[in-house]
Amino acid sequence: MAGDAVPADAVPADSVPGEFSTLLVDRGPDRLHVRLNRPEVRNAIDQAMIDELHLVCAELEREPRILIISGAGGIFASGADIAQLRERRAADALQGINSGLFGRIARLPMPVIAALDGWALGGGAELAYAADFRIASTTVRLGNPETALGIIPAAGALWRLAELVGEPVAKEIILAGRILNADEALAVHLVTEVHEPGALLAAAHALADRIAKQDPLATRIAKQVFHAPADAHPQADNEAQAVLFESEAKFARMTAFLERKKR
């Protein structure tokens, strides 16, 4: 689809055909672009996709890079795979199958960008909530219809969504089944940018470019300290800054800045 068209030089990719069954993965020196790819079920998140996303996380934990997550075929993710979800029992819920993955994605060392196109519902929405940035196409539809299916959104929406949009809007989405369109999601700051579908991935890569221009160590530490518990500040900030004050990149970047000012 048009929304999957990215300029050839946008990210030098190193894809491995057939590496995954539910994901398409493009690797670049400073980023990974992962596309959810189960078009026959609107990219519903099943156990195989969960397992493969854990492999992606393990790779990014070993070699930190920016992660872009999108969906193939004009849809981000229509939710968890209902056929599998219907068969899960209490023991499965206690394992935290989806919440464990989404927490791991949220904790990745470098920023995560969710590029949302079409449906981003249920587990798909919760995956997006775990990202550091959410940008959307004009076709996006975001929401959590789990209570209509007799369950709750237990993979992060019950607490992440309120942090992102506030309690009143979060309750309207979770308890009353409200589905947000692109303009509504932008108005409540659930997404920060809206683009035409054909420009969405280029915008995601442009955002990744801006992130990549920052010092990687400073970016990683800033993300880590940003999510530290409230009572950890300001000590965590001071300790992190102490590390960066001794880094070679700090001296090199500040020297370059001062040299530019002399010109």
Side-chain angles (χ1 to χ4, degrees), residues 51 53-59 61-62 98-109 112 130 160 223:
D51 294 341
L53 285 170
H54 273 298
L55 294 176
V56 169
C57 288
E59 178 177 342
E61 289 160 355
R62 290 192 305 269
N98 287 10
S99 62
L101 170 67
F102 300 163
R104 191 175 185 182
I105 288 172
R107 292 189 301 272
L108 285 173
V112 178
R160 281 199 181 101
K223 175 176 175 177

Side-chain angles (χ1 to χ4, degrees), residues 104-128:
R104 191 175 185 182
I105 288 172
R107 292 189 301 272
L108 285 173
M110 288 292 283
V112 178
I113 301 166
L116 309 176
D117 207 10
W119 297 111
L121 299 175
E126 290 181 299
L127 171 56

Side-chain angles (χ1 to χ4, degrees), residues 158-190:
L158 290 171
W159 54 278
R160 281 199 181 101
L161 190 54
E163 291 180 352
L164 293 169
V165 302
E167 182 178 319
V169 176
K171 283 184 174 178
E172 200 171 350
I173 292 168
I174 293 168
L175 304 181
R178 180 180 175 187
I179 305 295
L180 302 183
N181 62 28
D183 289 339
E184 292 167 334
L186 184 64
V188 298
H189 306 294
L190 188 53

Side-chain angles (χ1 to χ4, degrees), residues 19-154:
E19 180 184 17
F20 296 113
S21 64
T22 70
L23 307 175
L24 301 172
V25 179
D26 292 333
R27 292 178 175 84
D30 59 14
R31 73 197 66 172
L32 255 68
H33 176 202
V34 172
R35 281 181 290 169
L36 312 181
N37 187 43
R38 298 186 70 219
E40 71 282 1
V41 288
R42 298 183 178 182
N43 299 333
I45 300 170
D46 68 348
Q47 186 63 56
M49 186 180 286
I50 293 285
D51 294 341
E52 291 178 0
L53 285 170
H54 273 298
L55 294 176
V56 169
C57 288
E59 178 177 342
L60 292 174
E61 289 160 355
R62 290 192 305 269
E63 185 181 348
R65 282 167 285 171
I66 300 161
L67 173 61
I68 298 172
I69 306 176
S70 67
I75 295 172
F76 182 70
S78 59
D81 190 304
I82 301 301
Q84 287 190 2
L85 203 58
R86 183 184 60 182
E87 302 308 314
R88 289 181 182 170
R89 307 302 292 261
D92 300 303
L94 293 173
Q95 288 182 33
I97 295 170
N98 287 10
S99 62
L101 170 67
F102 300 163
R104 191 175 185 182
I105 288 172
R107 292 189 301 272
L108 285 173
M110 288 292 283
V112 178
I113 301 166
L116 309 176
D117 207 10
W119 297 111
L121 299 175
E126 290 181 299
L127 171 56
Y129 304 156
D132 298 290
F133 300 91
R134 284 160 298 282
I135 67 174
S137 82
T138 54
T139 68
V140 79
R141 298 294 182 270
L142 264 162
N144 290 94
E146 282 90 341
T147 53
L149 297 171
I151 59 174
I152 60 173

